[in-house]
């Protein structure tokens, strides 16, 4: 909402020394968000005067039409002689009054004016357009042509009100009253402690039987409809300069007198209005819901198919307007043109249901100044005053006659009353305001207040956002000043910092970042079709999702059960933008629905919820384990003078899982697996032991070609995903100091031949157990397959075993005995035999 300071001063006697910045500070303190203060004409310097065109000479021989004009500017140029000016505009003629800027002046933007030679003539100044003066578009797209009665030589800066300050206020959804000069003036009056001259306090005649006939068929959608008629308007009447300038300052373009007056009154009082050409309205004006499939052509020239929930204005032909949004083209006010403009108008000032108007505006993607106000709440009591103000202005400015008939259809309603303890604002704010302060502040916003300890508060009609006692408390607190609330920070007990879960989350992220991965957080929303792209089975638990009631995007209405969709999408976008060597990771929550659906309880706000209440709330929420995932594509090691480099592959994804498990202090078993998006022959399964039972906590490996194609990923993309919470539960990340022995290590290599289907993890486990306490470390350093040497279906696994004792140097016999025991147990469990 743009609020000119000069207009605001009409209703509040602000101190003459108060600038826009001062008013901004006061309003911000009162809770209004004043974003900027625009200084109109700050760099404008005269002389800028009214002139009358005496002669026009058309200059020939140029690429565009050029005119050499003489203009009478009175004594403004110091000589009284006509001013010679070159101008290219075509929308004025001899005798017109125009705005002339003389040499020595400065226009907005720092444009200095001086006499200069152009097109073979010397131009002593400029004839100005609205854009050149920073006024905005007045609809003419050319030179400003002033009314004939304007005095020659008059200061145009004062005449056009070019110097002003405009407050730009971001009005929140609950403060529709501040989408008007009246509402902002009320806030300014309260902030300064000054009286308000309410522009809605007008003498309005009561309804009678002579008004234009109106029938409201939907009183819930329209609880008030006022109609007034003005006849005999002059078709040539134009909006006066002061009215045009005020509309321009608030961001509206002048159109025609009748339309400008309705826009002016809407801005002034906050009540949207609409003017119908009376000669084009057929019969009774009605308000009803649209019939499914009805059509209307709105004022923007668009034919719209109506929905059964749309509220429409009708006559005997059908819809003539979308109620509260935009009028219809079939009753449009005609502009003044050669005496053919509209002479008789019917003024509509109605109050419509906010929800109905909001839905209609969104359904038709048609946001207007009227719908913005109705959506946020309009004062229903202002309709009659707004209609009267519009009638008065039309009679004054266009010479019309106000008909005696007044139509007012009103659905019975009672004012909203709230019972509130006098000390309730004190309890909410933690400040002792006292009853007198509470009553005074509520009366300042327009409430009627009665009672002592228990106040009976009647809410004013212009504040529909005041619905319950906490709304009243907020009014008292904001007017007393949010800055005056004491700042009391809770004192945390010593020794508390991040939780164990938070520390593990950070360590895992730092470890992956140190390994060359880049963190890529993603939104937790997915479409259910993504599970088909991942190749999940129809009965896979990951397909059970938590659906959002009001999703941000209709195409992604569910919460994720895996981090992979978001990461794969990020990898695809980066690859499409030329970054082909990628290693991304994310740690975040996934959301798993509980088997039993519960409704979350509403927690109290007047005390701290009990542990049982919090537990009940948590039990109604979906399970939210924290996962970690990585995706890789392109080169893992870059080529250069140091070597050929190598591409990222499944082994890197597996290693990322091991890295995270080591940060959690968890013992991770890696073995071959098969699941969803991974290639069945290049998929590793991560297993941990939980309470003596093996539990799969994740997978890693190369993605299946079908998944790669479905997501549009680079070939051989690899991925890993782990349940970080399970790793935390089974891990022991207590720092362990390394045991440094003074005795030498004994190394024994062993090559075992096993069947191809035997996992390396099973062989390694058997070797560890068989070797006993002397085994310090084991490493697989070679995998060999050759049917001629090993036989059909066989493979060779070569391990390096490190033996060491903490109290002595091992003999060859001791190391060999430990090795033989390891091989024996491996042979017993996996069928392994020594190679060669």
């Amino acid at each position: 909402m743009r609020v000119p300071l000069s207009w605001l001063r009409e209703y509040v006697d602000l101190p003459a020394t108060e600038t826009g910045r001062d008013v901004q500070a006061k309003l911000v303190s009162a809770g209004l968000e004043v974003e900027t203060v625009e200084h109109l004409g700050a760099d404008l310097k005269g002389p800028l005067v009214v002139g009358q065109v005496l002669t026009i000479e058309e200059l020939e021989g140029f690429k565009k039409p050029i005119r050499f004009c003489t203009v009478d500017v009175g004594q403004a140029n110091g000589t009284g002689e006509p001013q010679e000016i070159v101008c290219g505009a075509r929308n004025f003629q001899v005798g017109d009054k125009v705005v002339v800027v003389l040499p020595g002046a400065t226009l907005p933007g720092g444009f200095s004016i001086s006499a200069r030679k152009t097109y073979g003539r010397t131009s002593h100044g400029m004839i100005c357009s609205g854009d050149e003066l920073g006024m905005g578009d007045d609809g003419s797209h050319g030179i400003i042509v002033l009314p004939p009665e304007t005095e020659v030589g008059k200061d145009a800066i004062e005449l056009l009100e070019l110097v002003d300050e405009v407050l730009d206020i971001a009005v929140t959804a609950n403060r529709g009253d501040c989408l008007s000069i009246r509402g902002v003036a009320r806030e300014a009056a309260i902030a300064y402690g000054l009286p308000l001259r309410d522009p809605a306090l007008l003498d309005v005649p009561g309804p009678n039987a002579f008004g234009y006939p109106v029938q409201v068929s939907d009183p819930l959608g329209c609880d008030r409809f006022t109609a007034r008629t003005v006849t005999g308007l002059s078709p040539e009447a134009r909006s006066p300069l002061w009215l045009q300038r005020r509309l321009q300052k608030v961001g509206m373009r002048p159109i025609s007198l009748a339309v400008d007056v309705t826009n002016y009154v809407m801005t002034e009082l906050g009540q949207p209005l609409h003017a119908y050409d009376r000669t084009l309205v057929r019969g009774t004006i009605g308000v009803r819901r649209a019939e499914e499939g009805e059509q209307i052509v709105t004022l923007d020239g668009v034919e719209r198919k109506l929905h059964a929930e749309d509220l429409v204005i009708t006559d005997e032909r059908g819809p003539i307007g979308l109620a509260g949004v935009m009028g219809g083209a079939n009753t449009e006010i005609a502009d003044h043109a050669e005496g053919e403009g509209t002479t008789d108008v019917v003024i509509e000032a109605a109050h419509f249901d906010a929800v109905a108007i909001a839905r209609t505006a969104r359904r038709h993607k048609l946001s207007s100044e009227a719908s913005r106000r109705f959506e946020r709440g309009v004062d229903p009591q202002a309709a009659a005053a707004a209609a009267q103000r519009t009638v008065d202005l039309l009679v004054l400015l266009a010479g019309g006659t106000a008909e005696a008939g007044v139509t007012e259809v009103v659905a019975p309603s009672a004012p909203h009353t709230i019972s509130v303890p006098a000390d309730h604002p004190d309890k909410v704010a933690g400040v002792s305001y006292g009853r007198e302060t509470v009553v005074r502040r509520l009366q300042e916003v327009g409430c009627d207040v009665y009672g002592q300890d228990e106040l009976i508060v009647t809410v004013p009609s212009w504040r529909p956002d005041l619905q319950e006692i906490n709304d009243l408390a907020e009014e008292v607190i904001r007017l007393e000043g949010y800055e005056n609330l004491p700042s009391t920070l809770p004192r945390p007990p010593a020794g508390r910092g991040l939780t164990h879960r938070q520390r593990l989350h950070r360590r895992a992220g730092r470890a992956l970042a140190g390994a060359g991965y880049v963190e890529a957080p993603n939104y937790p929303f997915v479409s259910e079709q993504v599970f088909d792209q991942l190749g999940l089975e129809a009965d896979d638990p990951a397909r059970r999702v938590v659906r959002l009631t009001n999703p941000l995007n209709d195409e992604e209405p569910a919460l994720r059960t895996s981090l992979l969709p978001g990461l794969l999408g990020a990898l695809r976008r980066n690859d499409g933008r030329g970054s082909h060597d990628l290693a991304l990771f994310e740690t975040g929550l996934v959301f798993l629905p509980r088997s039993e659906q519960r409704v979350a309880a509403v927690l109290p706000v007047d005390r701290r919820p009990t542990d049982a209440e919090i537990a009940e709330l948590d039990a109604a929420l979906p399970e939210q384990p924290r996962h970690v995932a990585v995706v890789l594509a392109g080169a893992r090691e870059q080529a250069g003078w140091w070597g050929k480099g190598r591409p990222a592959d499944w082994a890197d994804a597996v290693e990322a899982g091991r890295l995270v498990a080591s940060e959690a202090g968890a013992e991770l078993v890696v073995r071959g697996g098969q699941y969803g998006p991974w290639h069945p022959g290049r998929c590793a399964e991560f297993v941990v032991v939980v309470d003596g039972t093996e539990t799969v906590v994740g997978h890693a490996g190369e993605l299946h070609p079908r998944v790669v194609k479905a997501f549009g990923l680079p070939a051989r993309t690899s991925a890993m995903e782990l349940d970080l919470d399970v790793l935390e539960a089974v891990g022991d990340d207590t720092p362990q100091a390394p045991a440094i022995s003074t005795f030498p290590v004994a190394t024994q290599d062993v090559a075992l031949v096993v069947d191809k289907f035997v996992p390396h993890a099973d062989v390694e486990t058997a070797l560890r157990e068989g070797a006993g306490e002397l085994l310090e470390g084991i490493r697989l350093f070679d995998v060999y397959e050759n049917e001629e040497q090993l036989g059909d279906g066989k493979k060779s696994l070569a391990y390096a075993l490190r033996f060491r004792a903490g109290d002595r140097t091992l003999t060859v016999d001791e190391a060999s005995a430990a090795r033989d025991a390891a091989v024996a147990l491996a042979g017993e469990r996996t069928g392994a035999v020594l190679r060669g």
Side-chain angles (χ1 to χ4, degrees):
M1 175 67 189
R2 291 171 57 85
V3 180
L5 192 59
S6 59
W7 199 348
L8 193 64
R9 289 182 183 275
E10 283 199 6
Y11 309 126
V12 184
D13 289 326
L14 299 173
T17 57
E18 289 293 280
T19 66
R21 294 292 184 190
D22 299 328
V23 178
Q24 177 189 30
K26 285 283 189 179
L27 294 179
V28 168
S29 178
L32 294 185
E33 186 179 348
V34 184
E35 293 186 325
T36 59
V37 178
E38 183 179 352
H39 298 269
L40 302 181
D43 51 356
L44 177 64
K45 186 180 76 171
L48 188 73
V49 299
V50 175
Q52 183 172 22
V53 180
L54 301 177
T55 64
I56 298 177
E57 177 187 351
E58 301 288 344
L59 301 182
E60 305 293 339
F62 299 101
K63 294 182 179 180
K64 62 179 182 178
I66 297 296
R67 306 165 116 188
F68 181 68
C69 311
T70 59
V71 185
D72 179 13
V73 295
Q75 297 299 319
N77 57 5
T79 64
E81 296 295 324
Q83 200 78 3
E84 297 179 340
I85 299 174
V86 175
C87 183
R90 314 291 297 176
N91 68 312
F92 65 94
Q93 56 190 358
V94 172
D96 281 346
K97 302 288 181 66
V98 294
V99 178
V100 179
V101 58
L102 300 177
T106 302
L107 294 182
F111 182 55
S112 299
I113 303 300
S114 61
R116 64 189 183 95
K117 190 169 184 179
T118 179
Y119 297 102
R121 303 294 178 96
T122 300
S123 182
H124 299 272
M126 283 176 53
I127 302 175
C128 297
S129 68
D131 286 338
E132 290 165 341
L133 297 179
M135 296 170 54
D137 181 21
D138 61 357
S140 66
H141 304 290
I143 293 303
I144 300 172
V145 178
L146 301 172
E149 63 272 14
T150 310
E151 179 186 350
V152 172
K154 183 177 179 62
D155 183 0
I157 295 179
E158 179 182 351
L159 176 69
L160 299 177
E161 300 178 16
L162 296 178
V163 178
D164 202 349
E165 293 181 276
V166 179
L167 309 177
D168 194 349
I169 303 175
V171 179
T172 55
N174 65 323
R175 292 301 305 272
D177 60 304
C178 289
L179 284 175
S180 66
I181 304 296
R182 178 196 184 199
V184 177
R186 183 180 292 107
E187 292 296 319
I190 296 172
Y192 280 93
L194 297 172
L196 169 71
R197 289 188 292 274
D198 191 344
L201 295 180
L202 301 175
D203 290 330
V204 180
N208 54 52
F210 309 108
Y212 198 94
V214 173
Q215 181 178 359
V216 177
S217 303
D218 189 342
L220 294 179
C222 176
D223 58 6
R224 185 179 294 265
F225 195 107
T226 300
R228 301 288 299 276
T229 304
V230 181
T231 60
L233 299 176
S234 171
E236 291 84 11
R238 299 175 56 187
S239 300
L241 286 175
W242 64 265
L243 192 151
Q244 293 186 43
R245 287 297 295 135
R246 286 195 167 178
L247 290 179
Q248 288 172 335
K249 289 177 184 179
V250 299
M252 296 184 184
R253 181 174 65 86
I255 298 174
S256 64
L257 177 61
V259 176
D260 292 349
V261 167
T262 57
N263 284 336
Y264 177 86
V265 175
M266 176 183 67
T267 304
E268 182 180 58
L269 301 182
Q271 168 66 54
L273 302 109
H274 189 72
Y276 301 94
D277 189 328
R278 183 178 180 180
T279 62
L280 300 178
V281 180
R282 301 285 184 263
T284 300
I285 292 177
V287 183
R288 61 169 171 83
R289 299 286 175 171
E291 296 177 6
E292 192 68 40
E294 274 189 307
Q295 294 184 343
I296 183 176
V297 178
T298 46
L299 288 174
D300 56 359
V302 178
E303 184 175 335
R304 303 181 185 277
K305 187 175 181 180
L306 300 179
H307 188 275
E309 291 185 4
D310 291 336
L311 201 63
V312 293
I313 311 298
T314 64
D315 63 6
E316 64 183 22
R317 297 166 299 178
I320 60 173
L322 273 175
V325 180
M326 185 173 285
N330 53 357
T331 56
E332 181 178 6
I333 295 291
D335 199 355
H336 61 278
E338 299 179 3
E340 298 179 359
T342 297
T343 58
D344 301 340
V345 297
V346 177
I347 305 299
E348 165 212 311
H351 184 262
F352 301 110
D353 177 61
V355 174
I357 301 306
R359 288 177 175 172
T360 296
R362 283 157 179 73
R363 188 180 297 118
H364 294 282
K365 296 181 173 62
L366 186 61
S367 178
S368 64
E369 292 289 342
S371 67
R372 287 182 62 231
R373 286 166 172 80
F374 280 122
E375 290 172 11
R376 290 163 173 78
V378 168
D379 180 6
Q381 302 293 335
Q388 182 64 46
R389 177 77 163 132
T390 304
V391 169
D392 292 344
L393 287 173
L394 287 176
V395 171
L396 175 66
L397 302 177
T401 301
E403 291 194 351
V406 177
T407 302
E408 191 164 356
V409 180
V410 181
S413 63
H416 183 51
T417 301
I418 304 172
S419 177
V420 55
D423 61 349
H424 182 69
D426 300 10
K427 293 179 179 179
V428 173
V431 175
S432 180
Y433 292 124
R435 179 188 176 280
E436 290 186 2
T437 298
V438 171
V439 171
R440 175 172 57 84
R441 288 304 190 184
L442 292 178
Q443 289 175 338
E444 284 177 345
V445 299
C447 296
D448 290 331
V449 185
Y450 302 96
Q452 292 298 319
D453 295 337
E454 190 75 16
L455 302 178
I456 306 300
V457 180
T458 302
V459 175
S461 59
W462 56 82
R463 290 299 301 276
D465 58 305
L466 302 181
Q467 293 293 320
E468 47 102 16
I469 60 175
N470 287 319
D471 296 331
L472 300 179
E474 183 183 5
E475 289 300 295
V476 174
I477 294 168
R478 76 176 181 88
L479 294 178
E480 283 295 303
Y482 292 122
E483 69 277 8
N484 296 323
L485 292 177
S487 178
T488 305
L489 297 177
R491 181 174 298 174
R496 294 190 180 181
L498 298 175
T499 65
H500 185 269
R501 188 188 193 207
Q502 291 170 329
R503 289 196 298 270
L504 175 58
H505 171 211
R506 293 192 178 188
R507 286 204 313 274
R510 284 196 294 266
L512 290 172
Y517 291 85
V518 176
E519 187 170 14
N522 294 282
Y523 289 117
F525 312 115
V526 295
S527 67
E528 293 182 72
Q529 288 73 28
V530 77
F531 302 121
D532 296 327
Q533 294 176 289
L534 289 174
L536 300 186
E537 298 291 340
D539 59 348
D540 194 300
R543 284 183 175 270
R544 293 186 61 243
V545 296
V546 177
R547 294 182 62 87
L548 300 172
T549 303
N550 187 22
L552 296 178
N553 183 351
D554 291 338
E555 295 181 358
E556 296 180 332
L559 292 174
R560 66 189 178 190
T561 57
S562 167
L563 301 182
L564 289 184
L567 275 179
L568 294 177
L571 187 141
R572 180 185 65 248
R573 288 190 296 273
N574 282 276
D575 181 72
R577 287 163 174 75
S579 298
H580 304 302
D581 302 325
L582 296 163
L584 310 178
F585 84 93
E586 180 179 7
T587 56
L589 302 179
V590 298
F591 304 86
L592 309 177
R594 298 181 187 272
S595 56
E596 179 186 355
Q597 297 295 328
R598 299 185 184 180
V599 178
V602 179
L603 297 182
V605 296
D606 58 344
R607 58 175 174 81
R608 185 189 185 281
T610 65
D611 293 341
E613 289 173 330
I614 295 175
E616 183 181 357
L617 177 64
D618 289 339
L621 299 176
E623 295 182 17
Q624 300 176 52
R626 185 176 293 278
H627 282 200
V628 57
V630 305
V631 293
L632 305 101
R636 185 67 176 129
E637 296 179 2
Q638 296 290 334
W641 58 265
W642 52 84
K644 295 181 179 180
R646 68 173 183 85
D649 61 15
W650 62 269
D652 295 298
V654 173
E655 185 58 29
R658 287 197 176 101
L659 181 63
V660 172
S662 68
E663 290 294 330
E667 186 175 346
L668 194 66
V669 177
V670 181
R671 64 191 183 197
Q674 184 173 344
Y675 178 68
W678 282 278
H679 192 296
R682 297 166 188 164
C683 175
E685 184 178 78
F686 295 139
V687 177
V688 296
V689 177
V690 181
D691 297 329
T693 304
E694 288 189 346
T695 301
V696 177
V697 293
H699 295 83
E702 184 181 311
L703 295 180
H704 197 287
R706 286 197 297 268
V707 176
V708 170
K709 181 179 180 180
F711 280 92
L713 305 173
R716 312 300 290 270
T717 298
S718 299
M720 179 278 294
E721 184 166 13
L722 266 173
D723 189 328
L724 201 55
D725 283 355
V726 177
L727 291 182
E728 178 194 6
V730 302
D732 180 9
D733 58 358
T734 303
Q736 299 290 333
I740 301 175
S741 175
T742 59
F743 299 98
V745 66
T747 303
Q748 297 273 353
D749 292 344
V750 59
L752 302 177
V753 177
V754 297
D755 292 330
K756 282 187 178 181
F757 63 82
V758 175
H760 141 70
D762 293 349
V763 178
E764 180 178 321
T765 301
L767 289 173
R768 285 185 182 276
E769 293 184 17
E773 296 180 355
L774 294 179
L775 181 67
E776 183 182 74
I778 182 171
R779 179 174 63 89
L780 174 68
F781 66 85
D782 184 50
V783 179
Y784 178 71
E785 296 181 9
N786 189 310
E787 292 185 3
E788 294 181 2
Q789 295 184 19
L790 303 177
D792 188 23
K794 299 292 185 180
K795 64 181 178 183
S796 171
L797 304 177
Y799 295 91
L801 309 178
R802 293 168 57 88
F803 298 99
R804 194 193 313 256
D807 57 350
R808 66 188 187 281
T809 299
L810 293 179
T811 64
V812 174
D813 291 339
E814 287 177 312
S816 298
R819 180 202 62 185
D820 293 342
V823 171
L825 187 57
E828 178 183 335
R829 290 187 179 177
T830 65
V833 296
L834 280 173
R835 179 180 169 190

